[in-house]
Amino acid sequence: IFVFGAAIVAWTVLELDETPVALAAALALLAAGATSAERFYAGLGDDFIWLLVGAFVLAAVLQSSGLAERWALQLVASASTPAALMYRLTGCIAATAFVVPSTSGRAALLLPVFLALAQALPGPRLVRALALLFPSVILLSACASMLGAGAHLVALDFMDRLGADAPGFIEWIALAAPFGLASSALACALILRLFLTRAERSAPLALPRPARDPLTRRQWGVVAVAAATLLAWATGGWHGVAAPIVAVGGALLATL
């Protein structure tokens, strides 16, 4: 009753943002022992739904802060040839599978990066190769992480219902990341080979340097929250806090 009343006051009298108030209230009920984790998960049908919700909020904050686009453009800015650019992009795109849930979410996150690079590349053939690279690597690298696609969470739920041992965040990476990264690199090599000539692959490339303004206090906060959430996911077997609860906590800190 106290948590419910406090949330109503925060929403109406204090006029605080709805999302952080709701997430804080939900976590307060768990912390106070007023409800169990199972009943908390049942609110949306399954614990994996909460994991998706928390991860989507975290991804949305990374996108709105401009950090994802900034890091990607800084990573590829020094690429001297189209081949080097595309291999660097492959690594950058694959890395998003460990933070951003679902392939569509990663596509939305990376679209500004593609548009910025497409405007700077000389010639439509390079742009076409880039347009093939982004969706190919987004799809192929999805298997590298438990969060890479919503279907993974469905599969984990089925394993849990059947009584099988479902892999955790780190166990999934150990099993699937080598295949996801290798297939992404192979796709990049094939696109370079099939859609660009040898001269085009090795031609000098000069990309505009992204702004190197220092991170704002808000951006540093987003970096800290994202890093802490990933660390908590990776060490779930040690501290015992379930991944969905970690995701909700990360979403709360990110919105704050």
Side-chain angles (χ1 to χ4, degrees):
I1 292 176
F2 175 78
V3 171
F4 176 73
I8 295 298
V9 170
W11 280 326
T12 57
V13 179
L14 301 179
E15 296 184 352
L16 299 179
D17 289 339
E18 292 88 348
T19 301
V21 171
L23 294 173
L27 292 176
L29 289 172
L30 286 170
T35 188
S36 64
E38 289 74 20
R39 293 181 65 187
F40 174 71
Y41 296 148
L44 287 181
D46 196 89
D47 56 344
F48 292 115
I49 303 298
W50 286 103
L51 178 59
L52 271 180
V53 169
F56 265 119
V57 172
L58 188 59
V61 172
L62 280 171
Q63 183 180 22
S64 63
S65 67
L67 285 170
E69 181 179 356
R70 173 181 178 140
W71 287 336
L73 293 177
Q74 285 182 349
L75 179 66
V76 303
S78 59
S80 57
T81 64
L85 169 66
M86 295 184 68
Y87 276 116
R88 291 191 185 191
L89 278 173
T90 298
C92 180
I93 296 170
T96 62
F98 301 96
V99 184
V100 182
S102 87
T103 51
S104 56
R106 295 167 65 205
L109 184 72
L110 292 165
L111 180 60
V113 179
F114 168 76
L115 294 176
L117 290 173
Q119 294 176 356
L121 289 177
R125 288 174 58 83
L126 286 176
V127 175
R128 181 178 65 171
L130 201 69
L132 289 168
L133 180 74
F134 271 78
S136 299
V137 177
I138 286 174
L139 291 171
L140 290 171
S141 62
C143 70
S145 168
M146 184 173 68
L147 295 176
H152 299 170
L153 303 183
V154 176
L156 288 172
D157 182 50
F158 270 112
M159 294 176 69
D160 185 61
R161 291 172 185 268
L162 293 172
D165 292 330
F169 189 75
I170 292 297
E171 290 82 4
W172 186 293
I173 292 175
L175 289 169
F179 175 78
L181 298 178
S183 59
S184 298
L186 179 60
C188 179
L190 287 173
I191 291 172
L192 284 169
R193 181 83 175 180
L194 296 175
F195 294 94
L196 295 176
T197 64
R198 178 177 296 181
E200 289 173 330
R201 294 194 296 268
S202 58
L205 184 64
L207 295 174
R209 297 286 177 176
R212 292 188 174 273
D213 301 330
L215 295 181
T216 64
R217 181 179 179 182
R218 182 178 179 182
Q219 288 176 325
W220 275 118
V222 174
V223 172
V225 170
T229 304
L230 282 175
L231 180 62
W233 277 334
T235 57
W238 174 68
H239 55 68
V241 180
I245 301 300
V246 171
V248 173
L252 171 61
L253 294 176
T255 52
L256 290 175

